[in-house]
Amino acid sequence: MNAAPALDNWLVHRGRFLSVTFMLQNGDREFLIRIHEGAIESIQSGPFVMPCWTFRLSADAHSWNKYYASSPTPGFHDLMAMIKFKHLRLEGDQHPFMSNLLYFKELIKSLGGTVQ
């Protein structure tokens, strides 16, 4: 189990009603991320055999590198743009992701060094 990075207090406050487990896939690398009341409880690195997750965000490593660039190009500047232009796939129960979209946008941007 990997150590969970510390999040800023405002981000934890924003997600205080959210408890979910989701998978973030970067090419062949998988990360199972558990959120409890807005704070990262754990980040586990795969591969996994039949992991339990609510939703999954997956993209190839090249797309994630463009997303995490200091000046992302159009289509890679935002999670929703990546979904729209089919660089990122959202699978599973989309309700927790969509109802906490700003939280996940900031969370995933803050995980850049952890999940690359």
Side-chain angles (χ1 to χ4, degrees), residues 33-112:
I33 303 169
R34 285 185 172 77
I35 307 293
H36 181 69
E37 295 177 354
I40 296 176
E41 191 172 82
S42 67
I43 298 177
Q44 294 176 311
S45 183
F48 300 101
V49 177
M50 297 191 62
C52 183
W53 44 263
T54 304
F55 66 89
R56 181 173 94 171
L57 295 167
S58 61
D60 59 41
H62 178 69
S63 295
W64 283 119
N65 288 338
K66 289 180 113 180
Y67 173 75
Y68 286 118
S70 59
S71 296
T73 57
F76 294 93
H77 66 285
D78 182 74
L79 294 177
M80 293 307 290
M82 288 178 67
I83 290 171
K84 179 180 179 180
F85 293 109
K86 302 193 185 315
H87 302 296
L88 177 66
R89 289 183 55 189
L90 172 60
E91 302 173 272
D93 183 3
Q94 298 177 10
H95 185 267
F97 177 76
M98 293 302 220
S99 60
N100 296 282
L101 186 58
L102 292 176
Y103 173 84
F104 282 110
K105 284 181 178 185
E106 290 183 40
L107 174 76
I108 291 170
K109 198 59 132 171
S110 73
L111 292 176

